[in-house]
Amino acid sequence: MSPFLNQGDLVIIFRTKNVKKTDVVVFEKDEDFYIKRVSKLEDSRYFLEGDNKKESKDSRKFGWIPKQQIVGKVVYKF
Amino acid sequence: MKIAYRLLSRFLPTNIALAHCDIPCGIYDPHGAQMAAHTVLRMTNMLDELKPSREEPEFEERKKIISQISRLTRVKEKHGEMIEEELGTLENDYFKKEHYKKFPELKKLIEEAVELSIKTRQNIDAKACEEMLKKTMQIAEIFYKTKDLEPVRISSGYPTQGQIVSHK
């Protein structure tokens, strides 16, 4: 997620499933949490991409993420 | 800021979120790189074939030619990047140590194909495009072999009239 986030950065998230385009969101998949930015959205699914497009493995690779897997959105970055 | 972090982390639940996630979907295919290589070759040929009707064409014709060059170059660039990306995915996510050991030429093939994808973006060089296509096909053949599938070269059916690697 560079340059917005770097390894070890701390963020505060607000638990919500109502996110909009450009929001940075945390989602859950296979018992892990991931953080990406919303680039496209439909009714109940989101297309999430990393800011560091060249390196990021994101929805371009694993597809749309269903709304129910969204944990929340970043509201503050330390 | 560190104090605020320490205070907050005492009261708020914390968890680790991964940014460079690699969710192993297990679905890999060398087709994308080959198709992109054919596209770069096609765009290069089309750019090469662009000719004005006479030595000093009218402004209207110049505009059309410039527009056509822009469009062809855009597609050439995009598919050149696609080759780099597709091969990067195979290299980093699919091919494992044992594959590189069994096919020692693989690493070099990928490196050369990526280098050619840059060269073909920088130039209008059909020969480099053909070389790049050849390498993506060789990589595809190795890919299918690692899956114990027999690779076959079939007609692509594309205007480039070349072949593409699939499997039996």
Side-chain angles (χ1 to χ4, degrees):
Chain A
M1 276 296 289
S2 172
F4 178 68
L5 287 176
N6 291 302
Q7 193 166 345
D9 279 357
L10 183 84
V11 296
I12 293 179
I13 67 160
F14 176 61
R15 281 188 175 269
T16 177
K17 294 192 188 296
N18 294 319
V19 298
K20 60 181 192 311
K21 200 174 165 182
T22 74
D23 278 346
V24 175
V25 300
V26 171
F27 65 100
E28 195 173 7
K29 192 168 173 71
D30 301 329
E31 298 181 347
D32 274 323
F33 294 108
Y34 297 95
I35 191 161
K36 297 286 166 188
R37 193 180 293 279
V38 180
S39 65
K40 293 174 208 163
L41 56 100
E42 288 182 1
D43 286 346
S44 57
R45 60 181 196 158
Y46 297 92
F47 199 84
L48 308 172
E49 289 184 75
D51 286 355
N52 185 1
K53 296 277 188 292
K54 213 171 162 65
E55 298 291 329
S56 176
K57 305 288 182 347
D58 46 36
S59 282
R60 291 171 298 171
K61 185 163 181 190
F62 53 73
W64 293 73
I65 293 293
K67 191 174 186 173
Q68 60 264 33
Q69 283 176 235
I70 302 289
V71 178
K73 65 177 178 181
V74 171
V75 289
Y76 189 77
K77 183 185 83 161
F78 284 89
Chain B
M1 201 54 80
K2 277 183 181 173
I3 297 166
Y5 161 57
R6 280 191 199 127
L7 273 172
L8 281 167
S9 60
R10 284 185 68 176
F11 300 109
L12 296 174
T14 56
N15 223 319
I16 291 170
L18 308 169
H20 280 183
C21 54
D22 185 5
I23 297 166
C25 61
I27 297 169
Y28 302 99
D29 198 321
H31 180 75
Q34 295 183 88
M35 197 169 71
H38 272 282
T39 307
V40 173
L41 174 61
R42 174 73 172 147
M43 293 304 109
T44 301
N45 288 339
M46 287 174 82
L47 280 163
D48 218 17
E49 286 160 11
L50 272 179
K51 297 277 185 298
S53 61
R54 56 201 167 98
E55 204 168 311
E56 291 292 333
E58 295 292 323
F59 183 63
E60 280 307 308
E61 190 184 340
R62 283 171 192 247
K63 274 202 298 190
K64 279 182 189 168
I65 292 172
I66 291 166
S67 165
Q68 187 69 350
I69 290 171
S70 307
R71 295 188 71 206
L72 296 172
T73 306
R74 182 175 168 270
V75 175
K76 183 161 80 80
E77 287 285 321
K78 193 177 162 190
H79 285 79
E81 283 170 15
M82 208 184 283
I83 291 167
E84 208 173 330
E85 196 176 312
E86 293 280 329
L87 293 180
T89 302
L90 292 179
E91 182 185 18
N92 301 318
D93 300 352
Y94 174 71
F95 289 125
K96 302 283 179 288
K97 271 184 187 170
E98 58 265 29
H99 298 143
Y100 290 109
K101 199 174 172 185
K102 192 173 177 185
F103 301 96
E105 72 277 30
L106 179 59
K107 193 88 186 165
K108 201 175 173 206
L109 269 175
I110 295 172
E111 279 171 15
E112 288 173 346
V114 170
E115 277 170 22
L116 283 163
S117 84
I118 296 163
K119 191 178 175 184
T120 53
R121 271 175 272 171
Q122 289 168 333
N123 304 285
I124 300 173
D125 187 341
K127 204 177 163 188
C129 294
E130 277 161 12
E131 191 59 28
M132 178 174 69
L133 175 60
K134 195 174 137 190
K135 291 194 190 296
T136 59
M137 289 169 73
Q138 288 171 310
I139 294 163
E141 281 169 338
I142 292 175
F143 174 88
Y144 290 122
K145 283 178 189 171
T146 63
K147 287 181 167 282
D148 293 326
L149 295 166
E150 191 181 337
V152 281
R153 290 189 173 213
I154 55 170
S155 169
S156 67
Y158 302 147
T160 42
Q161 296 179 336
Q163 291 181 312
I164 203 157
V165 172
S166 185
H167 66 87
K168 280 187 180 172

